[in-house]
Amino acid sequence: MSGFTGRFRRWLRRAPGRSAFSGGEPAGSGGGDRQDEPAAGGGDQQRVRPSWSTRSVAREVFLLQLVLVVLLVAAAVVAFVVQTRRDTMTDARHRTLAAAESFAHSWGLQEALNSPDPTAKLQPLAEEARKASGVDALIVYKLDGITLTHSDPRQIGKHVIGPYAEAARGKPFTRTFEGALGLSVISAAPVKDSSGRVIAIVAAPVTVEKVQKSVNQQLPLFLGTAVVALALAAGGAGLVSRRLRRQTHGLGPAEMTRMYEHHDAVLHAVREGVLIVGRGGRLLLANDEARRLLDLPADAEGRQVDDLGLDHRTAELLASDRIATDEVHLAQDRLLAVNKRSTTPYGAHQASVVTLRDTTELRWLSGRAEVARERLRLLYDAGARIGSTLNVVRTAEELAQVAVPRFADIVTVELQEPVLKGEEPSVTGNALRRAALAGLPPDHPLYPVGELLTVVPGAPAASADQVRPMVEPDLAGSSAWRSQDPERARRILDHGVHSLAVVPLRARGVVLGMVSFWRSGSSPPFDDEDLSFAEELAGRAAVGVDNARRFTRERTMAMTLQRSLMPRGLPDQDALEVAHRYLPARAGVGGDWFDVIPLPGARVALVVGDVVGHGLHAAATMGRLRIAVHNFSALDLSPDELLGHVDELVTHIDVQDENGEEVPAITGATCLYVIYDSVSGRVSAATAGHLPPAVAHPDGSVEFLHSPVSPPLGVGTGLPFETAEVSLPEGSRLVLYTDGLVENRSRDLDAGLEALRAALAGPDRTPEDTCATVMESLLPTRSTDDVALLVARTRRLDPAQVAEWDVPRDPAAVGPVRNACVRQLVDWGLETIAFGTELILSELITNAIRHGAEPIHVRLLHTRTLICEVSDGSSTSPHIRQAKDTDEEGRGLFLVAQFAEHWGTRYSPRGKTIWSAQVIGPEALPSEEEPSEDLLNLWEQRAQW
C-alpha cells in the first residue's frame, strides 16, 4: 500500500480537478462521476505538460543512470584488480609452498645435509629447482639458522631471519614479511629424518614486487574494458532518456483522465483506509475502507475532523501536524493501526495522508502466540533448571521457583513422606508434607515448609492416590476448598489469592505428591488451558523428583551398607597411636576403606584399600574385601602371602560372577597391607597396585616407603607380591591413604604426593593433628572422590617388658626355663597367672622338644596381655585333639586353650611360633591355688562334650 500511496500523491500533484489542495472546495466524494473534471481543469493540464519539464526529468534520469554506471564500472575495476592481486598472491603462496615441500621431500636431500659440505651439493640442485618452479630463491638451512643455499651467494653462511619456529616444530607454513630479498611471500617446509625428527628447513620466497608487476601488466586491459563499458552504458542511457522524453510528451487529456479513473478505482478497492486531511483539520478525501472503519457519515469530506464523532485521541492526531507510525487507536470495537505522513515533501500542497489498518484480530492472534511462546520458553527453562541436583527437596524448590512469577504468583509443592526419604511412594497415604513454597513473604497465611498436611477427603485434593488435575477459578465461591480449613481459607482470601490450580506429581504411574499454583491480585484466574500447561510442567518436574528419590534411596542404602562394613571404632592395642579420617565423595558412597587389626606378638596390621566406582556395588565389594583381609589376617600371614590369597579370592569371585548375573568385576581394586612389630620396630609392607605409605620421621623428614610394584587385585597376571621391610624409630608416623587425597582433575599424582610430603613435614604432631593438617592442606573443598586417611604413630615395647630364653633340645631343660619364666612373672607382678603360665610353657616347650626342631626359643611379652611364644625350626602345625581315656598324651594343647584367652600358630621362614595370650588383671583365672584335680575333671567334662 505504501508504494501505491506514493504514486497516488505524485499523481495528485498533476491531476486535473483537484484544486482542494490549495484550500478550495473538494472535487467530489470519491465515488461520483469524474468525467467533467478535465474540462474544468484544462488550464492545469496545459501546465502539467510543458516540454521543458519533461526534458528536465529525462535529463535527471540520464544523469542518474550515468552516475550509477560510472560507479558500477569503477567498482568492477577495483574489484577485478583486487581479486587479481589476491589470486596472484594466492598463487604465489601455493607455488612457494609446493616448491618448498617438493624440495624438502626430494631424494638425497638428507644425505646431502649430512655430508661434509652440504652447500656444495645442495646449491646447484636448489638453483635448478628454483628456476623450474619460478620462485625467487630456494633457501635451505639447518635448525641452527645458518643458510646452506640461496639465490644470492652472499647470503650463504649467514644466519637466516624470519619466523621459522613453526617449521622447526614440523609444520609447514606461509608468511609475508621483509627478508633478504625484500617484502616477499615465503613458504617454509620441514625436512624430517626417518624417525620423524626435523633436521632442516626449506624456504621458498617470491617477492611482492614480482607479484605486483604481474598485476600491473593486466591493468591496461582492465581500464580499456572499463572505458568501453562506460561508453556503451552512456549511449544506452541517452537512448532511454530520449525515449522517455518522447513518450511523456505523447500523453493527452483522455489518457490522463483514464489514468485518474484507474487510480480512483484502486483507491476505493483496497482493504486499507486512506484519508487526506488538509490545513485546519479539514477532511479532503476518504476511501470506502476508511468510512467503514471510522463509521464516517456520507458528507464527511469537507468537514472538520472534530465534527465527525471520532475518538478524541484519534481526532487530535488527524488535526495535528504530528507524524505517526503504527499507532494503535480504538474505534468502537476495533483496534486500528494509524500511520500519518505529510505531503509537503512531495508537492506544494500542505496536507497529510493517513492510512488505517484493522489489527483487532491480528492483535488477538499475536497475543495468543506471545503467550504460547512464553509458555514454551518457561517449559524450556524448567527442563534446564528442575532436577539440576539429585536432591528431592531441592528439586521441589526449583519447580516452585521456576513457575513464579511467570505462570503463578504463588507455588506450593507437597510430597509424600516416603518420597522425601527416598522410599517408594505410598499408594493409599493421605498425608503430604510441604516441601517447597515460593512467591510469598515470611508472614504468609499458607502452611509453612515442613508442615504435615492431612487433606480432607472429598476436597479438591483428597489424598495422594486421589489427586486429580483441577482448577478453581474463584476460590471465594468454592465451598469444598474452604471446608478444609475455614479460618486459614479466610486469611488466604484476605491476602488477595483468588484462583487455584492443583496438579499431581506423577511418575511411572505413581503419585509422588502434588503441586498447587495460586494467583492473586490482578492476575487473571486459571482456565483449562492453564491447567493443561500446569500438567505439562508438573510432569517434567515429577521425573526430576523421582530421579532424586531413587538416587536418595540408593545413596542411603549404600551409606547404610558402608557404615555397617566400615570399622565402627579402633581396637585397643599398645603398638600404635592411631587416628583416621573418611570423607565420602560428592557423587556418593565409594569403595575406599581402612582397618586396624591387632596381631599376636605385640604387632598391628594397618590396611587401606580402594575399589573403583561408587554406589552399592563399590560398598559391597569393599565389605567383601575387608572381611577377606580380616579372615586371612587371623592366619597370621606375611603381607605378600596375605595379598596373594586375597588376589586369588577376587579372581575366584569374578569367575563366579561371570557365570551368573551381569555384575561388574572387582578388577581394579587396590590394597596396601602393613604390619608393625612394636618389639623390633620393623615395618613390613606389601601393595596390590596401591599408593605407597608415607613415613614422617621424628626429625621432620618425610619419605615414601616404595614397595615392589604389584598389579591391582583380580588382574590375574600371576605375578607374585613382594614385601618391603624397614625399621622405624619410635615416634615415627605411618600415613596410609587413598588416591582421592592426592589426585584429582586439577592436580596430577606427582604434585599431590609432593603436597602430602609438605603437609607431613615439620615438627612432630599427634595423629589427630596430622589428620586435620593433611585434610585441610590437600582438600580445602569437597573432593569428587572418596578419601580414606590413616595415621599411626609408632611405639616401642619397653625392653624390660620382654623376656627371652634359648632352650636346648633336652627334656631336662624344661624345668629351668619354666622356673625362670615364673621368676620373671613375679618381677612383673603377675603372680596371679603364674600357675597357668607355667602349665602353658611346660606344654609348649615339651611339644617343641619332642616334635619340633632346633633352634627352640621362648619369649614373654608383657603388654595389655601376657603373651607366651615358643618358636622352633619345624613347620609342623599342632592341632587340638580329643584324647581317649587310655591315651597318655594329647591333652597339652587343650590345657593351653583352657588357660589362655587366645592361642595360635604363625609361620616364619625359619619355622613356626606357637603363642598364647592371657588376660592380666583381677579377672585373670585360674590362680595358682587351683588344684590340678579340677583341671583333670575339666578335661573329662570336655571329653564328654
Side-chain angles (χ1 to χ4, degrees):
M1 183 61 195
S2 59
F4 164 77
T5 304
R7 292 192 300 273
F8 182 73
R9 289 168 180 164
R10 291 192 296 273
W11 176 83
L12 284 177
R13 293 201 300 268
R14 302 190 299 271
R18 280 301 183 184
S19 60
F21 280 106
S22 60
E25 293 298 325
S29 63
D33 191 6
R34 299 289 194 271
Q35 296 297 325
D36 58 341
E37 290 181 3
D44 292 339
Q45 181 182 5
Q46 295 300 324
R47 289 193 297 269
V48 170
R49 297 177 55 192
S51 60
W52 62 267
S53 176
T54 304
R55 288 194 297 270
S56 63
V57 171
R59 188 181 300 111
E60 291 177 359
V61 172
F62 172 76
L63 293 176
L64 177 61
Q65 289 180 335
L66 187 61
V67 170
L68 291 177
V69 169
V70 170
L71 292 177
L72 290 175
V73 170
V77 171
V78 172
F80 198 83
V81 171
V82 172
Q83 183 63 35
T84 303
R85 176 177 173 82
R86 182 181 301 169
D87 294 341
T88 307
M89 292 292 291
T90 302
D91 177 69
R93 294 188 183 97
H94 293 167
R95 182 151 37 97
T96 55
L97 184 60
E101 288 190 334
S102 299
F103 196 79
H105 294 85
S106 61
W107 183 83
L109 181 59
Q110 296 185 24
E111 180 181 355
L113 288 172
N114 296 327
S115 65
D117 190 1
T119 300
K121 291 187 176 183
L122 292 177
Q123 179 66 12
L125 298 176
E127 283 298 304
E128 183 179 355
R130 177 185 66 82
K131 296 176 182 179
S133 59
V135 297
D136 291 337
L138 270 177
I139 307 171
V140 180
Y141 57 93
K142 292 188 176 181
L143 296 183
D144 56 2
I146 302 303
T147 303
L148 300 179
T149 67
H150 201 284
S151 59
D152 186 0
R154 295 173 297 178
Q155 301 295 329
I156 298 176
K158 294 184 179 181
H159 195 279
V160 69
I161 300 176
Y164 299 113
E166 189 173 358
R169 292 193 295 268
K171 183 177 180 181
F173 74 95
T174 302
R175 295 286 188 275
T176 301
F177 65 93
E178 189 76 27
L181 299 177
L183 185 62
S184 306
V185 177
I186 297 182
S187 296
V191 180
K192 300 180 180 180
D193 57 12
S194 57
S195 63
R197 183 173 58 89
V198 177
I199 60 175
I201 298 172
V202 177
V206 172
T207 61
V208 175
E209 181 181 1
K210 183 176 180 180
V211 175
Q212 188 63 38
K213 287 181 179 180
S214 176
V215 176
N216 293 339
Q217 290 175 357
Q218 304 178 48
L219 188 58
L221 178 60
F222 297 161
L223 295 178
T225 304
V227 171
V228 173
L230 181 60
L232 293 176
L239 293 176
V240 171
S241 299
R242 183 177 179 182
R243 184 175 182 83
L244 176 63
R245 183 173 65 251
R246 184 172 60 252
Q247 290 182 351
T248 302
H249 280 281
L251 289 176
E255 290 81 3
M256 296 295 293
T257 301
R258 187 165 54 252
M259 181 182 296
Y260 166 77
E261 290 176 348
H262 293 167
H263 281 78
D264 191 58
V266 172
L267 176 65
H268 293 283
V270 294
R271 290 293 305 275
E272 185 171 319
V274 178
L275 298 175
I276 298 180
V277 183
R279 297 186 62 182
R282 184 183 298 275
L283 180 62
L284 303 180
L285 184 142
N287 69 344
D288 294 342
E289 184 68 9
R291 292 174 181 275
R292 185 185 68 83
L293 294 176
L294 297 177
D295 195 18
L296 296 176
D299 58 346
E301 292 183 354
R303 297 172 56 180
Q304 297 291 330
V305 294
D306 295 335
D307 301 334
L308 300 178
L310 301 177
D311 180 74
H312 173 72
R313 181 165 169 261
T314 305
E316 181 181 0
L317 172 63
L318 296 180
S320 67
D321 295 332
R322 182 166 59 88
I323 295 176
T325 301
D326 286 338
E327 285 191 10
V328 179
H329 289 255
L330 181 64
Q332 284 131 22
D333 58 346
R334 298 184 182 93
L335 292 175
L336 302 180
V338 180
N339 291 272
K340 181 181 179 183
R341 294 292 184 272
S342 174
T343 62
T344 302
Y346 307 100
H349 303 292
Q350 296 182 358
S352 299
V353 177
V354 180
T355 61
L356 309 172
R357 187 172 64 255
D358 189 356
T359 62
T360 305
E361 184 177 355
L362 179 61
R363 291 273 176 174
W364 182 78
L365 292 176
S366 63
R368 291 180 59 86
E370 181 62 29
V371 172
R373 282 196 299 269
E374 179 60 27
R375 295 286 172 84
L376 289 175
R377 192 179 301 113
L378 179 56
L379 287 177
Y380 175 79
D381 294 343
R385 291 180 56 183
I386 298 176
S388 59
T389 61
L390 291 175
N391 182 280
V392 176
V393 175
R394 180 56 187 161
T395 303
E397 292 174 350
E398 292 169 345
L399 168 60
Q401 293 168 2
V402 78
V404 174
R406 299 166 64 180
F407 177 68
D409 298 313
I410 306 166
V411 176
T412 59
V413 182
E414 292 79 33
L415 298 175
Q416 293 193 42
E417 283 282 353
V419 175
L420 291 170
K421 299 177 182 178
E423 302 172 0
E424 289 290 337
S426 174
V427 178
T428 60
N430 60 351
L432 301 173
R433 189 173 296 278
R434 179 148 292 172
L437 186 149
L440 280 178
D443 58 344
H444 60 82
L446 298 180
Y447 289 106
V449 174
E451 186 79 12
L452 185 63
L453 309 181
T454 302
V455 185
V456 177
S463 62
D465 61 320
Q466 298 173 354
V467 174
R468 296 292 183 271
M470 55 80 60
V471 61
E472 284 289 348
D474 184 13
L475 289 178
S478 175
S479 58
W481 174 77
R482 287 187 286 107
S483 65
Q484 297 184 39
D485 190 342
E487 177 59 26
R488 190 174 296 273
R490 182 188 61 79
R491 292 172 54 197
I492 292 175
L493 293 174
D494 293 342
H495 203 272
V497 179
H498 57 77
S499 185
L500 168 66
V502 178
V503 179
L505 289 171
R506 192 185 306 273
R508 297 183 295 112
V510 180
V511 176
L512 308 176
M514 69 179 184
V515 54
S516 302
F517 302 94
W518 312 72
R519 284 182 179 174
S520 61
S522 60
S523 299
F526 288 107
D527 54 22
D528 292 339
E529 290 187 6
D530 293 328
L531 184 62
S532 299
F533 174 78
E535 291 184 74
E536 178 69 21
L537 183 61
R540 298 193 179 194
V543 176
V545 172
D546 189 57
N547 290 339
R549 177 195 64 80
R550 298 170 69 179
F551 174 79
T552 302
R553 179 186 62 181
E554 181 177 347
R555 192 174 190 276
T556 302
M557 294 173 59
M559 291 288 291
T560 303
L561 177 62
Q562 188 187 48
R563 281 195 296 267
S564 65
L565 296 177
M566 290 285 284
R568 301 184 180 181
L570 299 179
D572 295 333
Q573 44 82 31
D574 296 326
L576 296 169
E577 179 186 356
V578 183
H580 62 88
R581 292 288 190 276
Y582 176 76
L583 182 65
R586 286 181 298 182
V589 176
D592 290 11
W593 57 282
F594 65 90
D595 220 332
V596 179
I597 306 173
L599 299 177
R603 297 173 303 136
V604 177
L606 303 176
V607 191
V608 168
D610 186 3
V611 177
V612 176
H614 297 86
L616 284 174
H617 177 71
T621 302
M622 176 270 293
R624 298 165 81 178
L625 293 181
R626 180 170 177 261
I627 293 173
V629 171
H630 260 278
N631 291 337
F632 288 127
S633 296
L635 301 177
D636 209 350
L637 303 174
S638 61
D640 56 340
E641 291 180 314
L642 184 140
L643 290 181
H645 286 294
V646 175
D647 182 62
E648 292 179 1
L649 176 64
V650 170
T651 304
H652 181 67
I653 292 175
D654 284 343
V655 172
Q656 287 183 334
D657 290 342
E658 289 177 359
N659 297 329
E661 298 180 357
E662 293 185 2
V663 179
I666 307 178
T667 303
T670 64
C671 183
L672 173 64
Y673 192 85
V674 179
I675 296 178
Y676 173 69
D677 189 344
S678 63
V679 178
S680 62
R682 292 195 64 80
V683 172
S684 303
T687 178
H690 202 83
L691 297 174
V695 178
H697 294 280
D699 59 0
S701 62
V702 179
E703 65 174 341
F704 290 95
L705 181 58
H706 291 281
S707 303
V709 177
S710 299
L713 299 174
V715 175
T717 60
L719 298 176
F721 296 93
E722 299 183 36
T723 299
E725 295 187 359
V726 64
S727 294
L728 296 180
E730 186 174 7
S732 301
R733 286 168 293 164
L734 275 168
V735 181
L736 286 72
Y737 52 91
T738 56
D739 59 350
L741 180 68
V742 295
E743 188 178 15
N744 54 43
R745 295 178 180 177
S746 60
R747 180 176 60 198
D748 59 17
L749 180 59
D750 294 337
L753 293 177
E754 288 303 318
L756 176 61
R757 184 194 301 271
L760 295 175
D764 187 23
R765 292 185 291 267
T766 64
E768 279 293 336
D769 293 340
T770 303
C771 286
T773 301
V774 169
M775 296 297 285
E776 181 179 357
S777 300
L778 274 71
L779 296 175
T781 58
R782 189 72 177 270
S783 175
T784 56
D785 193 7
D786 45 348
V787 175
L789 175 65
L790 192 63
V791 179
R793 183 158 60 181
T794 61
R795 296 170 178 167
R796 282 289 187 92
L797 192 62
D798 191 345
Q801 295 178 287
V802 180
E804 299 181 278
W805 296 272
D806 289 323
V807 181
R809 193 175 183 184
D810 185 359
V814 177
V817 173
R818 182 178 59 221
N819 295 333
C821 292
V822 172
R823 289 193 298 270
Q824 184 63 58
L825 293 179
V826 173
D827 293 341
W828 287 341
L830 303 178
E831 297 88 347
T832 56
I833 61 172
F835 178 74
T837 305
E838 188 176 357
L839 286 177
I840 291 173
L841 289 174
S842 296
E843 293 300 330
L844 295 181
I845 296 174
T846 301
N847 285 340
I849 293 175
R850 288 182 178 180
H851 307 291
E854 292 184 333
I856 301 173
H857 187 76
V858 176
R859 185 172 72 167
L860 299 181
L861 303 177
H862 182 197
T863 60
R864 292 176 181 265
T865 60
L866 178 65
I867 301 175
C868 302
E869 297 180 344
V870 177
S871 304
D872 66 82
S874 173
S875 59
T876 304
S877 175
H879 299 281
I880 293 181
R881 66 183 181 87
Q882 185 172 336
K884 299 180 181 179
D885 295 341
T886 58
D887 291 342
E888 296 182 358
E889 58 183 14
R891 300 176 176 85
L893 291 181
F894 175 76
L895 293 177
V896 172
Q898 294 301 313
F899 280 92
E901 183 181 15
H902 302 289
W903 77 280
T905 304
R906 70 172 180 269
Y907 296 91
S908 66
R910 294 185 299 273
K912 68 176 182 298
T913 298
I914 304 177
W915 58 271
S916 66
Q918 297 171 261
V919 178
I920 298 175
E923 68 276 10
L925 289 176
S927 65
E928 63 177 346
E929 287 80 11
E930 183 175 355
S932 59
E933 294 293 330
D934 291 344
L935 295 177
L936 295 177
N937 292 335
L938 185 62
W939 166 253
E940 296 294 339
Q941 295 174 6
R942 179 61 180 262
Q944 295 177 3
W945 297 343

